[in-house]
Amino acid sequence: MKRNNLLMLMVFGVISVMANTLNANSPLEPSPKFFTGKSLKAQYGSKGQISINAQSSHLVDFVLDYDETTQFASTIAIVNDTVELWSERDYGVELQKGSNPLSLPEGVFDILVFMHDIDPIRGGKSRSNIKLIIREQVSIDQDMQLTFSANEAKNHIHFELLNPQGEPVKTDKVFYDENFNLTVLEAGNITNGDYFNYISSSNHGPIYGTSARFGQVAEGAWQSNGLRSLADFYVNDVSDRFSFYSHQVAWKGDEAFNAAYEVAGVSDNITITNEPENFKLFENPIFAPGHESELIYPIIIKYEFLSDFIGSTFFMETLQPLSSGTTFKYYLGASVEDSPVGGFIPCIIPGVCIMNDDYEEVPQMFSTPMTLINGTITLATNGLASFINNLEPAFYADFSDIPDEQGRPISMNPFWPTHPIFSYPIEKAKGTFGNNCPVLVSNPLMYKQSDNHIYEFQYDYIGRFGEERQECRDKSQINIKLNGTDFYNGEGTPFFMLNELPVGMIDATITNDHVTVDEIKGSNNAQLHYHAGSEDQNPPTMTMMHFKNETGDVTDRFTTAADGTIEFSAGDFNFISTSSTEYVPNFYRAYLRFAPELVEVSYSAYGEDNWNELPIEEVPENYWPVMGWFYRGSLAGVTGEALKGWFDLKVKLTDAAGNWQEQVLSPAFRIDDLAYSSVATVIPASKSGDSAIYNLAGQRMRGDLNTLPHGIYIVNGKKVVK
């Protein structure tokens, strides 16, 4: 498929925050996260004031009143519908009791002042409550003084998480002696839990977010109040222009559950609980690792907060292995409809750790994020957070002058809605996570950071249902040549700190031959060709691929060829960055986006290397910024016979500069009425001997089956599959 016109350039970035996690028995000190969903305009002055690039500004003295022995102030946020400014200690502006002068532009703003109780156990600036005083629609048209008192925050907003049995959750209460030996004084009904809170306004959107682990209540040599109170807000009377949101996740034994809460406008104490009867149960899917060694499967929980203003924030918890025959239960109670501002996906991501019998290796596999949409458990695919983070590095930038494809200033990342084609109800996923040959998503980066030249050859694998396939990446072999000479050989994803960035032609081969599909040996073999150091130095890449049958089920197994449709997304993402040694608004790392110039798709019977064109076409309305351009094709024209009906797929993407990526997925899809099996014999390599071996083109092969790649060969007049 030839593309005649490049679509308009788009630069896009993501603010990505990874929440800290500790041992499940350790309390976690929460760190406030400050996000700007709009363009950041503030520059920090040398005297602790915020100076604004505006024609007219006024000196506003923020007078803060609180008890310094038990409280402190952390943040002043000033927002309207186009700008967010803040002053807080982590960026060099230490707030203090009394006068805090700030230079602000003329206009009408909402002003939020955050104060906190000092944690009585840990002291210092450890916070045990959020005390928030909000002034709505303040007109700044002259020099003025504004007073904020902690006593105004009299309305307590408490988010109460109930487990599936309807009980309020609580962690263990424990005692540590002087040797830090633990005694459980009172057992809780959860092992642990985490929360993420944010505040939003109707005119601006999200303003402030914070996250933490619930933690144990501990006494003795190590004391902790458990951190549960940190999930609450204390606030003055505010209108329904302001919303307060919490997403909470907890787990114990063989179950995990989540819930979301929202309240708009506050004038009294309020306790918000979830409704256990609304939980939707999903028991863990069967994971097929696609790996050759014998494995065991400790269960992992991973859960993300995907939104248009924070990118991806996630926690991950590894649990104990389940006993034989036990399933893990996921109770989903948080729906996207609960979010007050949209742009937010509360989800749980089932996963497994994959280890051999000696516990020597711990690659991981995760499913697509699962969330509730209109009460239905939905696989909410948007390129997966790991790929989003790789393709959309963090940035701090004023992008107000850089338009997107509709000519609008770039300010938000479209995490929600998730991709409408690659997201679907869980019952539409017909198959097993991991039991497929994955797609490679490549992302070579070359940039300078301060004095270092950095070359990262990043790539990941994504399965047919959007599952993350880290175990494939960690086992892959990669060879990189620069101008025809070996530059790197090894496993995994290489990272280089260089005196100078490489310049010239890069040819990379990535071989993942650790795939097993329906007990058939498989592989993903990819080649990348691109010119390092040129204006366009990234090859295009696929970002997602799946197949559907005629009823819309996501599956790669079909009765007839006419039943099948292939759908995939791809793009040419060219990395750009600016270097900075200090926090300034014009520092960014982002991507230029182009459609591939040429998209070529072909198929072959499994292992036969006999390729035939598979027609596909672009579907422009399904373009998605994070994932790129969308393509679709029917399998109706697939002909011939294949071992057990399995066919290989080759996809080659070429950009306007001549850079290209090609990958062969073997096997990729199955068509039952095109299957043969009776003439094929599987010969173990140890018994292959030195018999003459020919490929299907009649060429004699050197060596024996031990040394040949997997495929189909003629041995003693019979087809043999290795």
Side-chain angles (χ1 to χ4, degrees):
M1 175 181 175
K2 177 79 172 179
R3 184 176 183 85
N4 295 320
N5 298 304
L6 288 175
L7 293 186
M8 188 174 182
L9 167 67
M10 179 175 181
V11 180
F12 212 93
V14 171
I15 296 178
S16 176
V17 180
M18 180 178 292
N20 296 320
T21 57
L22 299 178
N23 182 282
N25 293 323
S26 303
L28 177 69
E29 170 64 21
S31 299
K33 308 296 190 298
F34 302 94
F35 312 107
T36 172
K38 306 297 181 182
S39 300
L40 177 63
K41 304 290 188 181
Q43 298 271 4
Y44 289 95
S46 60
K47 296 183 179 180
Q49 296 185 2
I50 296 179
S51 60
I52 307 299
N53 297 325
Q55 293 182 345
S56 178
S57 61
H58 303 285
L59 188 65
V60 180
D61 189 8
F62 291 81
V63 179
L64 308 184
D65 181 25
Y66 53 88
D67 183 351
E68 291 181 284
T69 63
T70 60
Q71 299 169 329
F72 70 98
S74 68
T75 308
I76 298 173
I78 306 104
V79 300
N80 62 18
D81 59 353
T82 60
V83 66
E84 174 173 347
L85 317 171
W86 62 74
S87 165
E88 54 98 6
R89 56 191 175 91
D90 291 336
Y91 292 106
V93 183
E94 184 77 30
L95 298 181
Q96 60 185 359
K97 182 176 181 178
S99 176
N100 294 268
L102 302 176
S103 179
L104 301 179
E106 194 166 287
V108 177
F109 295 91
D110 292 323
I111 298 172
L112 300 85
V113 175
F114 294 86
M115 301 183 188
H116 308 269
D117 290 333
I118 295 173
D119 189 306
I121 294 175
R122 284 168 292 174
K125 293 299 177 67
S126 294
R127 59 202 73 194
S128 62
N129 288 302
I130 298 172
K131 295 199 169 183
L132 175 60
I133 303 96
I134 300 175
R135 298 279 187 270
E136 301 183 50
Q137 300 294 278
V138 177
S139 179
I140 297 176
D141 54 10
Q142 60 183 341
D143 294 352
M144 64 179 65
Q145 184 181 84
L146 299 173
T147 300
F148 298 81
S149 172
N151 294 331
E152 296 179 66
K154 58 184 177 61
N155 302 313
H156 181 194
I157 306 174
H158 175 58
F159 302 104
E160 185 71 74
L161 177 60
L162 304 181
N163 65 16
Q165 292 73 42
E167 305 163 339
V169 302
K170 61 179 180 179
T171 53
D172 292 347
K173 183 177 181 180
V174 301
F175 175 84
Y176 289 90
D177 64 19
E178 62 275 7
N179 296 317
F180 288 92
N181 297 312
L182 179 150
T183 301
V184 177
L185 301 177
E186 183 180 339
N189 57 8
I190 62 169
T191 303
N192 225 317
D194 298 301
Y195 69 84
F196 176 75
N197 292 350
Y198 72 74
I199 303 161
S200 63
S201 69
S202 57
N203 67 317
H204 180 275
I207 299 171
Y208 173 98
T210 183
S211 56
R213 176 148 293 177
F214 289 167
Q216 295 173 332
V217 177
E219 298 178 355
W222 177 21
Q223 298 186 47
S224 169
N225 62 9
L227 303 182
R228 284 302 312 279
S229 61
L230 299 177
D232 291 350
F233 289 104
Y234 292 80
V235 66
N236 61 311
D237 292 350
V238 295
S239 74
D240 59 7
R241 295 177 62 254
F242 283 87
S243 296
F244 303 85
Y245 179 88
S246 183
H247 176 220
Q248 301 190 10
V249 181
W251 57 90
K252 183 177 178 66
D254 63 351
E255 68 181 37
F257 49 95
N258 72 345
Y261 321 80
E262 180 260 335
V263 58
V266 181
S267 59
D268 202 350
N269 295 337
I270 183 170
T271 296
I272 308 173
T273 62
N274 57 304
E275 299 178 3
E277 60 270 20
N278 291 338
F279 278 123
K280 299 293 183 180
L281 173 62
F282 175 77
E283 299 195 55
N284 65 292
I286 298 172
F287 284 86
H291 195 278
E292 295 173 332
S293 60
E294 294 184 4
L295 308 166
I296 60 175
Y297 305 93
I299 296 298
I300 276 185
I301 304 173
K302 179 180 178 184
Y303 43 98
E304 306 213 22
F305 313 112
L306 305 181
S307 81
D308 57 8
F309 76 104
I310 64 169
S312 170
T313 296
F314 75 87
F315 291 89
M316 185 170 69
E317 180 69 17
T318 303
L319 307 181
Q320 295 299 314
L322 299 177
S323 60
S324 177
T326 304
T327 58
F328 199 88
K329 302 177 180 66
Y330 298 89
Y331 291 90
L332 279 77
S335 175
V336 296
E337 291 85 17
D338 297 326
S339 174
V341 294
F344 188 87
I345 308 175
C347 62
I348 291 179
I349 307 175
V352 294
C353 274
I354 302 173
M355 295 183 284
N356 63 18
D357 291 335
D358 297 323
Y359 289 85
E360 292 178 341
E361 301 176 18
V362 194
Q364 299 163 353
M365 184 191 302
F366 297 105
S367 83
T368 295
M370 295 182 180
T371 190
L372 288 180
I373 300 179
N374 296 320
T376 300
I377 297 177
T378 301
L379 293 173
T381 303
N382 201 14
L384 281 184
S386 66
F387 303 120
I388 292 169
N389 290 339
N390 283 343
L391 289 174
E392 308 292 344
F395 77 90
Y396 295 95
D398 183 351
F399 277 174
S400 59
D401 296 328
I402 303 177
D404 67 10
E405 291 182 341
Q406 286 74 42
R408 301 166 303 191
I410 292 172
S411 61
M412 289 191 175
N413 181 51
F415 278 81
W416 182 257
T418 54
H419 199 294
I421 306 301
F422 294 127
S423 298
Y424 43 85
I426 187 68
E427 59 267 19
K428 283 292 187 180
K430 305 297 184 181
T432 302
F433 294 123
N435 188 24
N436 53 72
C437 183
V439 167
L440 177 133
V441 180
S442 65
N443 182 31
L445 304 179
M446 298 175 62
Y447 57 97
K448 182 175 180 179
Q449 188 175 60
S450 299
D451 296 328
N452 299 317
H453 292 82
I454 299 174
Y455 176 43
E456 297 180 63
F457 198 96
Q458 298 183 355
Y459 62 94
D460 276 294
Y461 289 96
I462 185 168
R464 203 66 66 244
F465 305 103
E467 69 269 30
E468 181 181 349
R469 302 283 292 274
Q470 182 176 320
E471 93 286 1
C472 289
R473 183 193 67 201
D474 292 351
K475 286 293 185 180
S476 293
Q477 296 290 324
I478 180 169
N479 170 264
I480 303 174
K481 294 183 183 294
L482 175 61
N483 296 322
T485 302
D486 280 348
F487 183 76
Y488 175 84
N489 283 283
E491 283 188 343
T493 53
F495 175 90
F496 307 95
M497 302 286 286
L498 304 171
N499 292 329
E500 297 291 338
L501 291 174
V503 176
M505 194 58 65
I506 296 283
D507 287 283
T509 301
I510 307 173
T511 304
N512 169 21
D513 59 2
H514 293 273
V515 174
T516 302
V517 183
D518 284 2
E519 300 182 351
I520 293 177
K521 183 174 175 59
S523 65
N524 179 306
N525 293 302
Q527 298 180 63
L528 285 74
H529 176 86
Y530 58 99
H531 198 290
S534 65
E535 184 176 355
D536 181 352
Q537 58 180 7
N538 282 59
T541 182
M542 279 199 290
T543 56
M544 177 61 187
M545 183 185 74
H546 70 194
F547 297 87
K548 287 181 178 177
N549 64 19
E550 56 188 2
T551 62
D553 294 333
V554 177
T555 178
D556 50 13
R557 294 153 170 83
F558 309 98
T559 302
T560 68
D563 294 337
T565 298
I566 180 175
E567 296 178 332
F568 65 93
S569 55
D572 185 19
F573 303 92
N574 293 291
F575 180 73
I576 57 173
S577 70
T578 62
S579 299
S580 176
T581 57
E582 61 185 26
Y583 182 89
V584 293
N586 61 359
F587 168 61
Y588 63 87
R589 300 171 63 192
Y591 276 83
L592 311 180
R593 301 171 185 275
F594 297 95
E597 179 78 1
L598 184 64
V599 179
E600 301 170 278
V601 182
S602 54
Y603 71 92
S604 167
Y606 167 79
E608 297 191 10
D609 200 27
N610 181 22
W611 299 100
N612 302 281
E613 180 184 3
L614 184 66
I616 56 98
E617 61 181 11
E618 182 190 344
V619 185
E621 60 268 27
N622 291 338
Y623 166 82
W624 209 251
V626 173
M627 302 179 75
W629 285 258
F630 185 91
Y631 303 90
R632 178 182 288 140
S634 172
L635 301 183
V638 173
T639 59
E641 290 187 332
L643 177 67
K644 298 183 179 180
W646 282 104
F647 288 83
D648 297 341
L649 187 77
K650 181 191 293 184
V651 179
K652 185 174 183 179
L653 308 169
T654 307
D655 67 19
N659 305 315
W660 52 265
Q661 177 205 88
E662 179 184 280
Q663 55 181 297
V664 175
L665 283 69
S666 176
F669 59 91
R670 190 183 78 195
I671 299 175
D672 293 340
D673 68 355
L674 299 181
Y676 71 81
S677 59
S678 58
V679 298
T681 303
V682 178
I683 299 179
S686 60
K687 299 180 181 179
S688 61
D690 295 321
S691 300
I693 303 172
Y694 298 85
N695 64 19
L696 295 182
Q699 299 169 316
R700 183 165 180 166
M701 311 302 293
R702 293 183 178 181
D704 60 20
L705 289 182
N706 285 314
T707 60
L708 293 175
H710 89 274
I712 299 176
Y713 301 95
I714 304 297
V715 180
N716 294 327
K718 294 183 179 181
K719 281 186 177 180
V720 174
V721 59
K722 177 188 175 185

